Amino acid sequence: MRNTFGNIFTLTSFGESHGEAVGGVVDGMPAGIDIDMEFVQRELDRRRPGQSDITSSRREADRVELLSGVFEGKSTGAPIGFTVRNTNQHSQDYENLRCLFRPSHADYTYYSKYGVRDHRGGGRSSARVTISRCVGGALAKLALRRVGISVAAYTSQVGDISLDCDYTKYDLSLAEGNAVRCPDPVKAIAMDRLIREVKAQGDTIGGVITCVVKGCPPGLGEPEFGKLHAALGEAMLSINAVKGFEYGEGFAGVTARGSEQNDVFVSREGRIATATNHSGGIQGGISNGEDIYFRVAFKPVATLLREQPTVDLEGNATMFTARGRHDPCVLPRAVPVVEAMAAMTLLDYWLLAKTVRL
């Protein structure tokens, strides 16, 4: 299994949903960065289950412990090891899954690849493993602060309820003011209501998360393989339940003329800029200094609290009903995961660019 992400700034993760702990090792963290543990813990708390009525009711403190790589509050440049204990597993809720494959889960594919699988909550394929990504992302954010790069994501669509305007029309700080993490308070209420309706039916719903990167300098990314948007796409598509990625105007731009889509270069405040930003801050695979923005599509959570048909290990048809504690919509808890993957990608590519031009 490939368990390491990144080139220079890397995250290697370990752990399963119902194991003793999840954790990882971050390598390539620049030395001398102030490690704000309250900030790191807040990033984990944003992903933590049980934070509202529209998320999984699993109760976990998700307290992170750094094991190495930090001395007197600063990164030393050495690998940063960390761990988060699992304390509230209900493994018995998954016993009925030992000998069957759940629809649209990784049960069958894992079993086909390895000949063995951990049926307790999905094991390694569980979204709980994203804890490691959030810790790595928090550390990357702390480093990005030093160079003026910020990352903010928010829920822009749940089911058929979506925001009417682009990110420039919203105060993105408002996203943390509601359980859905949507910067439009009115739409957030409607999204919350829809999630509750779906949950009451034992069903699930998907949606879209939008992410905005500000302060990214021009020059990050490679001209052929290793394009910045390709790296961001790979990072996002590695997140559980992600089914789509688009940046800039994305698919919405295909009906426009080139004369409408071209971003004209202008001089602004002593630097070269673009009059519009249909490109989403990346051209030719390399950042151009404008805001980078992209959208990530999440499918409905595959675990339904209703009876479904499936087959057992021998291929025999059977029925099953999932038990346990599950999210009716993954988006509210996935927002910090999207931010984390974006932050790690940007720091990695910032470090790569730094090695090119000495």
Side-chain angles (χ1 to χ4, degrees):
M1 296 178 69
R2 181 180 171 185
N3 298 297
T4 299
F5 173 83
N7 299 282
I8 295 179
F9 180 90
T10 65
L11 167 69
T12 301
S13 70
F14 69 84
E16 297 83 31
S17 177
H18 286 236
E20 291 296 319
V22 295
V25 176
V26 167
D27 205 357
M29 181 72 174
I33 304 296
D34 292 324
I35 304 301
D36 182 347
M37 285 305 300
E38 290 186 2
F39 172 78
V40 174
Q41 187 59 56
R42 282 199 304 273
E43 292 295 278
L44 267 188
D45 290 344
R46 296 171 67 213
R47 194 224 69 93
R48 179 175 55 82
Q51 59 186 276
S52 75
D53 292 339
I54 59 172
T55 63
S56 166
S57 61
R58 179 171 175 171
R59 298 290 177 180
E60 294 278 6
D62 283 356
R63 304 302 299 181
V64 61
E65 178 184 4
L66 299 190
L67 306 176
S68 62
V70 178
F71 180 67
E72 295 183 340
K74 293 183 180 292
S75 59
T76 65
I80 299 176
F82 63 89
T83 185
V84 175
R85 290 283 174 179
N86 292 327
T87 61
N88 192 228
Q89 309 98 311
H90 288 181
S91 299
Q92 67 276 8
D93 289 343
Y94 299 89
E95 190 57 35
N96 65 325
L97 306 180
R98 181 183 290 274
C99 297
L100 56 80
F101 301 120
R102 294 170 296 173
S104 287
H105 284 74
D107 298 349
Y108 174 68
T109 52
Y110 264 59
Y111 188 76
S112 298
K113 183 176 180 65
Y114 299 107
V116 63
R117 69 181 176 94
D118 185 346
H119 66 281
R120 304 166 303 166
R124 185 66 174 157
S125 65
S126 169
R128 183 149 183 80
V129 179
T130 59
I131 283 174
S132 300
R133 300 174 183 230
C134 286
V135 175
L139 295 172
K141 283 184 178 182
L142 291 174
L144 290 174
R145 283 181 184 177
R146 293 276 291 269
V147 293
I149 300 175
S150 66
V151 181
Y154 60 92
T155 298
S156 55
Q157 182 173 344
V158 174
D160 60 356
I161 302 172
S162 61
L163 299 188
D164 301 320
C165 305
D166 65 40
Y167 75 93
T168 61
K169 303 301 191 294
Y170 297 100
D171 178 356
L172 301 190
S173 67
L174 296 178
E176 291 299 311
N178 56 75
V180 186
R181 293 201 161 91
C182 172
D184 184 324
V186 175
K187 287 293 180 73
I189 292 173
M191 292 174 179
D192 188 291
R193 185 182 302 117
L194 175 58
I195 294 172
R196 291 176 187 275
E197 291 174 359
V198 166
K199 179 181 178 181
Q201 298 164 0
D203 215 332
T204 61
I205 191 77
V208 175
I209 289 175
T210 297
C211 187
V212 181
V213 178
K214 291 182 173 292
C216 182
L220 303 194
E222 302 300 316
E224 181 59 14
F225 304 109
K227 289 176 166 63
L228 183 58
H229 60 266
L232 287 167
E234 179 183 8
M236 298 307 138
L237 289 166
S238 74
I239 301 172
N240 304 55
V242 169
K243 287 295 184 180
F245 170 85
E246 62 176 2
Y247 74 102
E249 292 289 303
F251 289 102
V254 302
T255 59
R257 301 291 195 269
S259 56
E260 299 170 308
Q261 282 286 296
N262 280 355
D263 294 317
V264 176
F265 288 106
V266 297
S267 179
R268 182 187 303 134
E269 298 178 355
R271 72 175 184 88
I272 294 176
T274 58
T276 54
N277 190 19
H278 302 295
S279 302
I282 302 172
Q283 293 169 327
I286 301 172
S287 62
N288 66 5
E290 302 299 314
D291 291 350
I292 296 171
Y293 63 95
F294 56 86
R295 290 160 44 91
V296 187
F298 286 78
K299 71 172 184 175
V301 177
T303 299
L304 311 182
L305 298 182
R306 55 168 66 178
E307 190 174 56
Q308 296 182 84
T310 188
V311 298
D312 62 21
L313 298 180
E314 306 301 323
N316 301 309
T318 186
M319 301 292 292
F320 90 106
T321 300
R323 298 193 293 265
R325 302 155 295 177
H326 306 280
D327 291 286
C329 179
V330 74
L331 274 76
R333 295 176 58 214
V335 165
V337 181
V338 167
E339 289 181 3
M341 296 307 297
M344 288 192 290
T345 300
L346 287 163
L347 179 57
D348 191 33
Y349 271 63
W350 188 87
L351 292 169
L352 282 169
K354 187 177 180 181
T355 65
V356 171
R357 299 179 63 179
L358 298 178

